[in-house]
Every structure is written in structure tokens, then in C-alpha cells.
Amino acid sequence: MGDDRFVIIGGGPAGIAAAISTINAGFPPGRITLLEKGDRNDPSRTSGFGGAGANSDGKLVLESAIGGELKTWVGERIEGLLEDVLDLYLDFLAPSERPAYEKMRGRFSDPAAGARIQQACIRAGLEYIPADIIPLGTTACRRVVDGWYDFLIERGAQVLLNTRVTGFAQGNGGWSVTSESGETLRARWLLAAPGRSGHAFLVRALAENGIPTVNGPIDVGVRVETDAQLTRPLTDATWEFKLRGLIEGSHVRTFCVCPEGSVLVERYDEDLLAVNGQTLPEHPTGRTNFAVLHTIYLDDPCDNPAQFAQAYIRTANILGARNAIVQTWPKFAERRRSRASDLRDSFITPTLASALPGDIRLALNAKSCSVIEAFMRALDGPGLLEGLCSNRTLLYAPEAKFYTVRPAQLSAELESERPELFFAGDGSGITRGLVQASASGIVVGREVARRAQ
Ligand SMILES: Cc1cc2nc3c(=O)[nH]c(=O)nc-3n(C[C@H](O)[C@H](O)[C@H](O)COP(=O)(O)OP(=O)(O)OC[C@H]3O[C@@H](n4cnc5c(N)ncnc54)[C@H](O)[C@@H]3O)c2cc1C
């Protein structure tokens, strides 16, 4: 028989939320083991305690339609879960800070401002998705993650850092989990929450266990950086403007808006490097950056769409000699590579100083380039981001999100077809953001605590 341990693979928001909510529901903390391949403060930005969340921009998007598909499994329970997630974050800040963040609720989903933006979107052939957002920012989010760590350690949960899980298998009434060092842990309940950086591991583990999977979409695109002044009509009203287009039959959207932010590099396994963004409210930069992502659905016979996104990242990394690529909008539109002289002539300097001037079209597929170019022109419409398609705008690559292969069958408690094996978070394609990743962890954590009683 497996012992009565709850083992969690992945120390991101999903895994941590599972551990904390299990404890809060009465499960003995000493029977929880959380395995994380990264360190406490990991330089990768995608691994380590807190996962990608530890270095995230901390925008809490409290909408069931944004940041994942969790509602598919949990149904109407999602609304209550979003509130529970808010507590999970705000409870770990100083009590005096809470009112200021709570006050932000609704501020960025003001119906009057939303109606104005929607009208402008209709004229531009786009769609605006209003969202209730609390922008914690990178620094506060980091403090929350530190608070989560202290909570788990003080309660006596086992947090094993620098421990990469290589596989798991069912047997003797439980699960065995093997790590890179060759050690094997026994678990009664197992949660796989390895995030996007653990996606390749998950694909392999699912195949090894013969668990049927389905393909999800991938997102490839660019990160756009422009003058914060230019985006103010939207960022002042909504902070994170979520705009969508349907161009050449493809879905394209803005994602992860960072007002007064900077572009940064994130690292994945196999030495892959991509771009992302963050806002440090205490260090305004005068720039706004956001992703423009083209969603691609790859069905049969493609059985691992993540490889398509990784091929883009790999090609861009070759072109940039393991640096991000930056290109001015005019050169992108002219289909010519940017050189250092173009950056000098540009009206803004890149916030990611290590990015090298280059040609994004050499790495990104032609369809995505065409869709993104048309979407950018639509964004540059009256009442939206007027002036965007100009020498005030830079594009960075590679920007890609791959949360693709997921178990074909999951219960309302996110349990797979194999008893006591649960999935949560971005790695298994259930979620795409902090709030829903955390919510999915809460679902599993509470269920494990319930079964243990
Ligand atoms: C720079 C940046 C900014 C972001 N900003 C926002 C934002 O403002 N708002 C928002 O909603 N979302 C944001 N996101 C996305 C958000 O961080 C993710 O959606 C969220 O962290 C997903 O949580 P998760 O627990 O599923 O996965 P992750 O956070 O990716 O955590 C998974 C963990 O599992 C570990 N792991 C992987 N494989 C293994 C293995 N084999 N063995 C052991 N451990 C393993 C990883 O090291 C990682 O620490 C941002 C992401 C980045 C990178």
C-alpha cells in the first residue's frame, strides 16, 4: 500500500495553492511533499518556488472567461473559487495593504469606459473583453510567494527544491514518483502541476502511463513595446486591455499588458529563451509592453503542438545568438531586418537592452506574421492605440505560450482516469494565468483533504 502522503509535482501557484488549501482543510502538513526542480529564487523566471508566478507581473484577473478553461470542469463553482484565490494572495500581504488592492476591484472594469472601448473596437473590427483585474505588480507578488513559502515551512510541509521529477507510475495501491537523483517517493495522492516549463516532462509522463491526451492550442507571436502615453487611453481605463481579432480565419489577441513596464527574458529547459513583460510600479519606465498572440490549433496527425512553438523559439534564438530579437515596427512592416542604426533612429529605446536587432519574419511563420501585422493595424484605430504602427513601436521575439497536451479525461475535481492522480495549472492546459492556476490547485487540495478524512 502507498502511504498516505500527498505529493505535488511543481512549486508554482497551482502546486502551492494545492498544498496550502489542503492544510487549511485540515490535512496534516507533515504528510505533504512538494517537489520543485528550481531553486528558491531561480534566475530562469519560469522555475523555482513560486514557479513562473514568482516572477510574474502579479495581475490577478478575476474572470472565469480569461486565463484558462477551468470552468469546463468545475462549472459554476468557479465564481467562488476566484474569490478564494483573491484571499490566497491578499492574506499574505500586510493587512494594511488589503483595502488598497480591494479598492482596485471594479476600477478596471468600469462599464462606461468599457462601452467606449467596445465602440472603438466595433469600428476597428475587433472585440473588447472587459475584465476585473487587480494589478499587484511584480514586487508585491514576490512578497506573496515568500509568504506562501514561510507558511508551508512553518506548518511542517516538506518542500524539496532542486528536485526534478523524471517520472511517475502506479503500483501497490498508490503512486511512485521518481526524481533525477534516482530517489523514489510513495504517494497516496499525486498532483502533477509542472507549469509550462514542465510541459515536455508531462507529455512524456502521460505517454509512459498510457493516459490518453487531447491537443490544446498554442500561441505564437511578438511582444510589442511602445510609448506609455500612447496606450494611456486604454491602460488608464482598463489596465490590461484585452482585445481580440479574427483575421484570416485565425484568432489573435493582446495578452499580458504591462503599463509603465519593461520587457524581460524568460528561460526554459534545453536552453530556450523567450520574452515576457513586467511592471514594477515603483520604477515606471514610460513604456508599455504587451504580447500579440496568434492562436493555432493543430489537430491530427500532429500529436505534440508544443514542438511547433518550440521550433519558433529555437529559430529565433539561433538568429539572436541566444538573445531576444528586437525589430522596429517600420522595418517589420517593410519586411526588412532592423539594424543597430534603426534602433538609434527609433523614437524609443528598448527596455530589454540585451535584445539584438534582427528580422522576426525569418523565425515566425508567414501566416502568423500576416495575422499579427493586420491586427496591429486594426489596433491603431480611433479610440484605441492611435499611433501604434509608427517609429514609436518595437516588436520583440520570440513570444510563445504552449499549454497544449492535456489528459483527455478529467473529473470535476481534476482527477484523471487513474484514481488519485490529479492535474492542475498551466502545464496540463487547464489554465493560462495566476488566478485560474491557483484555483485549480485549490480544487485538488480540498478534494485530497476531503478524501483523507
Ligand atoms: C514573466 C511572466 C509574467 C507573468 N505575468 C502574469 C500576470 O501578470 N498575470 C497572470 O495571470 N499570469 C501571469 N503569468 C503567467 C503565470 O505566471 C502562470 O500562468 C502561472 O504561474 C501558472 O502556474 P502553474 O503553477 O501552473 O505553473 P508554473 O508557475 O509554471 O509552476 C510550475 C512549477 O513546476 C516546476 N516543474 C516543472 N517540471 C518539473 C519537474 N519535472 N519536476 C519538478 N518540478 C517541475 C517548475 O520549475 C515550476 O516552478 C506570467 C508569467 C511569466 C513568465
Side-chain angles (χ1 to χ4, degrees):
M1 285 290 285
D3 69 16
D4 280 356
R5 290 199 79 74
F6 177 30
V7 174
I8 299 167
I9 305 170
I16 296 169
I20 293 176
S21 51
T22 314
I23 293 171
N24 286 342
F27 189 89
R31 281 169 32 203
I32 297 176
T33 303
L34 187 147
L35 304 164
E36 166 54 50
K37 73 178 156 103
D39 213 335
R40 179 75 197 278
N41 292 304
D42 201 275
S44 67
R45 293 184 191 279
T46 53
S47 277
F49 189 85
N55 291 290
S56 81
D57 199 34
K59 288 184 293 285
L60 302 182
V61 185
L62 301 158
E63 295 289 340
S64 59
I66 293 175
E69 321 292 334
L70 188 58
K71 193 174 176 186
T72 310
W73 295 278
V74 305
E76 294 310 317
R77 277 189 298 159
I78 185 108
E79 299 305 331
L81 284 164
L82 298 182
E83 299 305 314
D84 296 338
V85 171
L86 187 57
D87 287 339
L88 182 70
Y89 284 74
L90 296 190
D91 283 354
F92 285 86
L93 291 170
S96 57
E97 292 177 89
R98 193 176 176 118
Y101 287 118
E102 278 180 341
K103 235 175 160 175
M104 289 180 189
R105 278 202 88 168
R107 148 104 173 72
F108 297 113
S109 55
D110 169 33
R116 275 197 306 278
I117 298 170
Q118 191 62 282
Q119 278 162 11
C121 278
I122 291 167
R123 285 195 296 273
L126 302 176
E127 177 72 6
Y128 167 60
I129 309 152
D132 200 358
I133 285 183
I134 297 186
L136 283 188
T138 304
T139 319
C141 195
R142 178 79 243 179
R143 279 192 287 126
V144 169
V145 171
D146 288 344
W148 289 344
Y149 184 81
D150 293 344
F151 176 91
L152 291 178
I153 298 301
E154 281 161 17
R155 296 301 171 102
Q158 199 180 17
V159 177
L160 301 180
L161 300 175
N162 300 304
T163 305
R164 181 190 292 268
V165 174
T166 50
F168 51 82
Q170 200 172 15
N172 296 333
W175 288 91
S176 63
V177 183
T178 313
S179 67
E180 206 170 28
S181 64
E183 268 180 77
T184 300
L185 264 174
R186 305 279 306 142
R188 165 97 182 265
W189 302 279
L190 178 62
L191 167 62
R196 289 177 217 162
S197 71
H199 184 74
F201 151 73
L202 201 61
V203 171
R204 211 176 42 248
L206 286 165
E208 283 167 3
N209 281 281
I211 298 174
T213 56
V214 287
N215 286 355
I218 50 159
D219 287 323
V220 292
V222 294
R223 189 153 278 263
V224 178
E225 181 166 61
T226 191
D227 237 307
Q229 295 273 28
L230 191 151
T231 62
R232 207 147 278 154
L234 295 191
T235 51
D236 281 357
T238 68
W239 188 270
E240 163 107 17
F241 48 86
K242 298 225 170 253
L243 306 179
R244 252 192 337 212
L246 184 62
I247 294 173
E248 298 175 24
S250 284
H251 291 284
V252 55
R253 65 194 164 105
T254 60
F255 181 77
C256 186
V257 180
C258 301
E260 296 287 350
S262 48
V263 178
L264 49 84
V265 156
E266 62 184 23
R267 291 180 191 280
Y268 290 91
D269 288 353
E270 299 171 35
D271 219 12
L272 296 180
L273 166 160
V275 289
N276 213 311
Q278 69 174 1
T279 297
L280 297 172
E282 59 281 24
H283 296 296
T285 59
R287 312 266 190 281
T288 293
N289 70 74
F290 57 94
V292 169
L293 297 175
H294 172 209
T295 303
I296 302 177
Y297 297 86
L298 296 170
D299 289 326
D300 273 355
C302 177
D303 60 357
N304 190 350
Q307 286 177 340
F308 183 86
Q310 283 159 352
Y312 164 44
I313 296 179
R314 198 164 281 121
T315 312
N317 289 175
I318 292 168
L319 296 174
R322 288 167 305 286
N323 293 288
I325 300 175
V326 58
Q327 190 169 17
T328 63
W329 166 265
K331 286 293 177 190
F332 180 78
E334 287 168 21
R335 289 149 174 72
R336 288 170 179 258
R337 72 160 285 188
S338 276
R339 298 188 180 274
S341 57
D342 298 312
L343 291 183
R344 282 196 297 275
D345 290 344
S346 169
F347 292 146
I348 67 167
T349 45
T351 54
L352 180 61
S354 63
L356 295 182
D359 189 349
I360 292 170
R361 287 179 194 271
L362 278 181
L364 185 57
N365 71 82
K367 169 96 182 178
S368 297
C369 288
S370 163
V371 166
I372 287 168
E373 183 177 349
F375 183 64
M376 292 279 291
R377 293 189 191 284
L379 289 178
D380 188 351
L384 296 175
L385 303 176
E386 291 180 74
L388 182 68
C389 296
S390 72
N391 203 20
R392 285 192 181 282
T393 297
L394 303 170
L395 307 183
Y396 294 85
E399 169 76 72
K401 312 284 178 220
F402 39 97
Y403 9 63
T404 53
V405 175
R406 71 168 171 237
Q409 220 178 300
L410 284 176
S411 73
E413 312 306 331
L414 306 180
E415 186 177 22
S416 68
E417 57 172 55
R418 301 295 166 83
E420 322 289 23
L421 171 64
F422 297 84
F423 291 85
D426 287 15
S428 44
I430 298 167
T431 68
R432 290 193 290 272
L434 292 174
V435 171
Q436 290 209 27
S438 309
S440 65
I442 292 176
V443 170
V444 176
R446 287 180 180 162
E447 178 61 12
V448 168
R450 192 188 66 76
R451 289 186 191 186
Q453 274 166 4

